[in-house]
Amino acid sequence: MSPSASPAVNPSLAYLTSTGDVRIAHVRTAGSGPGVVFLGGFMSDMTGTKATALEAWARDGNRAFVRFDYRGHGASEGSFEDGTIGTWLGDALAVLDGATEGPQVLVGSSMGGWIALLAARARPARVAGLLGIAPAPDFTRRMWQEDFGDAEREAIQRDGRVTVPSEYSEDGYVITRNLLEEAEQHMLLDAPIPIRCPVRLLHGMRDEAVPWETSLRIAERLETDDVEATLVASGDHRLSEPTDLERMLRTLEDLTNAASVQDG
């Protein structure tokens, strides 16, 4: 749901081991807490506009920050086509457990918003806040039910995979049957979501990849009373224009300050 790019050479690039002995690339910025972890989107990597804007914000404010690549993405090991929501969640938890200390605020973009919600549910004592940017929980089910036609469904059943066109990739995306089937274990929008930390959601109303109503459904399902959803009338799926980035950073500043007070 976001463009994939080759990561730039970075002397601070490090690796940790996730499930299946897959090495996960990440970059840490030293600073005070609560820290911030960025979780990118489907076929995205940690060199994107939002990730680097967050890193600059963290450095300016002496805030601990981590960005990373899921397996099969960017500089991490593994095959993209072997990835699932569960394995990418495992990578996020490996980073949270192995590359951060103390309370963290998770910033999840698109699919990363789904992964962030799952991680917050799995590590409630570690996650002090969550910011979702065009969050896309359950997008695989919507893809199967609403986006795919008969030809795509037949290809999945026959070949176990299908390549779908994308404005973010000339080659399109490969969607596997394993991805679609495994994702059913991680659906969130059909039941209450047991997350009680502060949550902020930003969503563009011109988002053609993830309906903006998704953020309202998330807000309704969350068990926390401290949730706010902001709809951006002119915003697209990426929310990467300068005004969008400024809004993201303002929201995150308020969220981390609130988390600091709670932690204190």
Side-chain angles (χ1 to χ4, degrees), residues 210-233:
V210 181
W212 57 264
E213 292 89 350
T214 302
S215 281
L216 301 186
R217 291 187 65 193
I218 295 170
E220 290 175 345
R221 293 297 188 185
L222 288 166
E223 292 186 354
T224 180
D225 292 327
D226 190 357
V227 56
E228 298 176 7
T230 299
L231 302 180
V232 184

Side-chain angles (χ1 to χ4, degrees), residues 18-138:
S18 184
T19 54
D21 292 329
V22 176
R23 295 202 313 154
I24 301 301
H26 62 284
V27 176
R28 299 178 63 177
T29 299
S32 60
V36 175
V37 180
F38 179 71
L39 298 89
F42 189 71
M43 281 196 75
S44 179
D45 65 35
M46 61 175 163
T47 66
T49 304
K50 289 188 284 290
T52 53
L54 288 165
E55 184 175 77
W57 167 86
R59 286 177 175 164
D60 289 345
N62 189 36
R63 177 76 66 183
F65 176 71
V66 177
R67 52 188 171 95
F68 73 98
D69 288 329
Y70 310 108
R71 69 186 60 203
H73 292 68
S76 288
E77 294 181 342
S79 166
F80 172 79
E81 293 182 30
D82 291 337
T84 64
I85 299 302
T87 56
W88 294 327
L89 170 61
D91 298 338
L93 293 176
V95 170
L96 185 60
D97 294 342
T100 73
E101 299 176 355
Q104 301 293 312
V105 174
L106 306 184
V107 180
S109 176
S110 194
M111 183 189 76
W114 187 0
I115 303 295
L117 289 163
L118 294 170
R121 185 177 67 176
R123 299 286 190 274
R126 294 292 318 284
V127 177
L130 191 152
L131 171 57
I133 304 167
D138 306 5

